Amino acid sequence: MVVLNKIYTKTGDAGETALGNGARVAKHSLRVNSYGTVDELNATVGLARLHAEGQADDMLAMIQNDLFDLGADLCRPDMEKDHESEYPVLRMSAAQVERLESELDEMTQAVEPLRSFILPGGSPLAAHMHLCRTVARRAERLTVELATVESINPSAVKYLNRLSDWFFQASRIANDDGRNDVLWVPGANR
């Protein structure tokens, strides 16, 4: 096990960073933007957890761990060379997507039917879930864009797509199963 004694490496001073396979790329590359936004999403989930308890907190903890898995997946290009790696390469799995889908199905059964668009807000947890949703959507857009120029794990895109839906439903659960959602009133301020 390698133990680092300092935080700064100076290896990024020229505007490059290392990917999971050791390749050096520009810090502004699409791949780095993609997994960097996943890291940002993980930080927003950490903020949401400050307001979560019980099962909600447990599910968010699992998502945070998944997001580290997703970052590890996205920072490792050349999936077709995974078998050449000296250690197993971590990739998102269909099982992680299926878990989100199962949780989404349960949450959908619990919430009031949707009759209007919802404004981000309500309880502190719901507001943070909406922030997570929007960052997840941005991470998804960047990852989909990355997939147009490089091969990526399809489960990574599916996970991000389901995750933003998950955060939307979780925001409704946090607003008393949708009863305290803040509804959009079209043209209310004309």
Side-chain angles (χ1 to χ4, degrees):
M1 179 174 170
V2 176
V3 178
L4 299 177
N5 291 331
K6 61 182 178 179
I7 299 298
Y8 59 93
T9 62
K10 299 184 183 181
T11 60
D13 290 352
E16 290 186 341
T17 192
L19 297 178
N21 65 352
R24 304 283 303 169
V25 298
K27 287 186 177 189
H28 65 271
S29 77
L30 191 51
R31 184 170 291 277
V32 175
N33 276 320
S34 180
Y35 70 74
T37 304
V38 168
D39 187 36
E40 180 184 351
L41 173 57
N42 207 336
T44 63
V45 174
L47 289 172
R49 289 188 67 193
L50 295 174
H51 304 281
E53 297 176 348
Q55 184 182 19
D57 188 51
D58 293 343
M59 290 190 297
L60 289 171
M62 290 177 68
I63 286 170
Q64 282 195 294
N65 200 79
D66 285 350
L67 289 172
F68 257 83
D69 291 353
L70 179 57
D73 186 330
L74 291 172
C75 86
R76 179 84 186 201
D78 304 322
M79 284 180 47
E80 65 280 358
K81 295 181 181 177
D82 283 357
H83 66 282
E84 297 173 9
S85 177
E86 58 188 84
Y87 57 90
V89 176
L90 183 59
R91 298 287 180 197
M92 294 300 288
S93 70
Q96 289 166 298
V97 175
E98 291 164 4
R99 188 194 79 243
L100 284 183
E101 289 173 346
S102 176
E103 291 173 1
L104 263 166
D105 291 343
E106 287 180 33
M107 287 190 282
T108 300
Q109 294 298 317
V111 295
E112 294 288 315
L114 197 56
R115 293 184 171 84
S116 173
F117 283 102
I118 296 172
L119 299 177
S123 70
L125 179 56
H128 279 85
M129 292 295 193
H130 279 290
L131 179 59
C132 292
R133 174 185 57 80
T134 62
V135 178
R137 283 284 187 221
R138 181 161 32 94
E140 179 187 9
R141 289 190 304 271
L142 288 167
T143 303
V144 167
E145 184 180 2
L146 174 62
T148 67
V149 294
E150 297 184 45
S151 65
I152 64 164
N153 179 358
S155 290
V157 174
K158 288 179 185 177
Y159 186 87
L160 284 167
N161 182 267
R162 300 311 182 279
L163 188 58
S164 58
D165 293 338
W166 190 99
F167 286 126
F168 179 78
Q169 288 297 62
S171 75
R172 300 199 67 216
I173 295 291
N175 276 338
D176 194 23
D177 296 336
R179 287 182 283 278
N180 294 327
D181 284 335
V182 180
L183 302 180
W184 172 48
V185 180
N189 301 316
R190 289 184 178 185

